[in-house]
C-alpha cells in the first residue's frame, strides 16, 4: 500500500526512495530486523532505493538524523518492544524530527510502522508511532504489527514471510 500510494503521488517514477529508521538495539533475536530485511528485499526487487538508519549507531548524532528525510519518498519506522513503549532511541528520533525536521517535507511523507514484540504492547507502540507521525504533520499507513513468542520459528515460517511480502 505504501509503495502504491507513493507511486501515485510521484506519477509512477521508478526512482523512489524509502528510509527505514530502526529504533532497536540490533540484537540477533530481534524479529524486527527480519521484517526490515524482508521489506527491503521486496522493495529493492521493485527498484526502490532503501536506506536503513540504525538509530543505535546514530546515538551521538541523532539530532542530525531528521535531515535524511529530505530525499525520502516514504518512511518506515521500525521498533521492537522489549519492555515498554517504542524505546528511547525512536523517541529521541521523533523528538529530533519535532525540533529540527522540515515539517513541509514531513507533510508529504507516508509512514509505515513496523512493530514486533516478545512481551506485550505492540498495538500501543503502533498507536504511538502513528500518533507521533501525525502530530509531526505526516501521513500514515497500516503497518506490520506482530507478537513474536519465538523469533526463530517466526523467521522460519513461510506464511509469515509471505504476509510480510504482501504488506511490502
Amino acid at each position: 500500500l505504501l509503495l502504491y500510494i507513493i507511486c501515485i503521488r510521484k506519477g509512477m517514477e521508478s526512482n523512489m526512495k524509502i528510509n527505514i529508521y530502526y529504533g532497536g538495539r540490533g540484537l540477533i533475536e530481534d524479529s524486527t530486523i527480519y521484517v526490515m530485511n524482508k521489506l527491503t528485499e521486496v522493495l529493492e526487487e521493485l527498484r526502490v532505493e532503501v536506506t536503513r538508519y540504525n538509530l543505535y549507531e546514530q546515538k551521538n548524532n541523532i539530532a542530525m538524523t531528521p535531515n535524511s528525510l529530505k530525499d525520502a519518498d516514504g518512511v518506515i519506522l521500525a521498533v521492537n518492544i522489549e519492555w515498554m513503549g517504542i524505546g528511547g532511541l525512536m523517541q529521541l528520533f521523533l523528538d529530533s524530527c519535532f525540533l529540527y525536521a522540515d515539517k513541509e517535507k514531513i507533510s508529504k511523507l507516508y509512514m509505515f510502522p513496523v512493530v514486533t514484540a516478545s512481551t506485550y504492547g505492540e498495538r500501543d507502540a503502533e498507536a504511538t508511532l502513528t500518533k507521533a507521525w501525525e502530530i509531526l504533520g505526516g501521513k500514515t499507513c497500516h503497518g506490520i504489527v506482530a507478537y513474536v513468542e519465538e523469533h526463530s520459528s517466526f523467521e522460519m515460517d513461510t506464511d509469515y514471510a509471505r504476509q510480510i511480502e504482501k504488506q511490502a
Side-chain angles (χ1 to χ4, degrees):
L1 180 61
L2 175 65
L3 184 59
Y4 175 73
I5 291 168
I6 293 168
C7 283
I8 290 172
R9 193 179 60 128
K10 290 200 65 157
M12 302 303 283
E13 293 177 18
S14 62
N15 58 349
M16 285 184 288
K17 183 173 180 185
I18 303 292
N19 287 355
I20 299 175
Y21 298 92
Y22 168 59
R25 297 186 295 150
L27 303 177
I28 199 160
E29 64 270 6
D30 183 350
S31 296
T32 306
I33 295 170
Y34 170 74
V35 175
M36 289 186 306
N37 289 342
K38 186 59 78 176
L39 289 170
T40 299
E41 181 182 308
V42 172
L43 291 171
E44 287 178 344
E45 283 178 18
L46 296 170
R47 298 183 187 160
V48 174
E49 181 184 340
V50 179
T51 304
R52 183 158 110 194
Y53 296 89
N54 295 321
L55 298 178
Y56 64 89
E57 295 173 350
Q58 310 280 329
K59 275 193 255 186
N60 296 330
N61 208 15
I62 208 158
M64 299 305 294
T65 307
N67 289 333
S68 62
L69 294 168
K70 290 181 181 176
D71 297 326
D73 297 304
V75 172
I76 296 172
L77 299 182
V79 295
N80 177 48
I81 307 306
E82 294 180 32
W83 181 61
M84 248 185 99
I86 61 172
L89 295 172
M90 184 59 73
Q91 187 65 54
L92 280 172
F93 171 71
L94 291 168
D95 288 348
S96 294
C97 287
F98 178 76
L99 295 170
Y100 308 116
D102 179 351
K103 303 302 186 303
E104 179 66 26
K105 176 61 180 178
I106 288 177
S107 73
K108 297 174 185 163
L109 289 177
Y110 284 89
M111 187 276 293
F112 182 87
V114 172
V115 180
T116 65
S118 56
T119 57
Y120 64 89
E122 64 275 9
R123 294 283 175 201
D124 291 338
E126 177 193 31
T128 299
L129 291 175
T130 299
K131 183 177 180 180
W133 197 253
E134 289 171 348
I135 288 170
L136 290 169
K139 302 170 186 173
T140 60
C141 300
H142 292 289
I144 296 174
V145 180
Y147 170 77
V148 179
E149 190 169 345
E150 172 53 45
H151 76 94
S152 58
S153 60
F154 174 75
E155 295 173 15
M156 299 301 286
D157 191 317
T158 57
D159 289 335
Y160 289 135
R162 204 169 9 263
Q163 286 295 91
I164 295 166
E165 289 171 357
K166 284 181 185 179
Q167 286 290 103

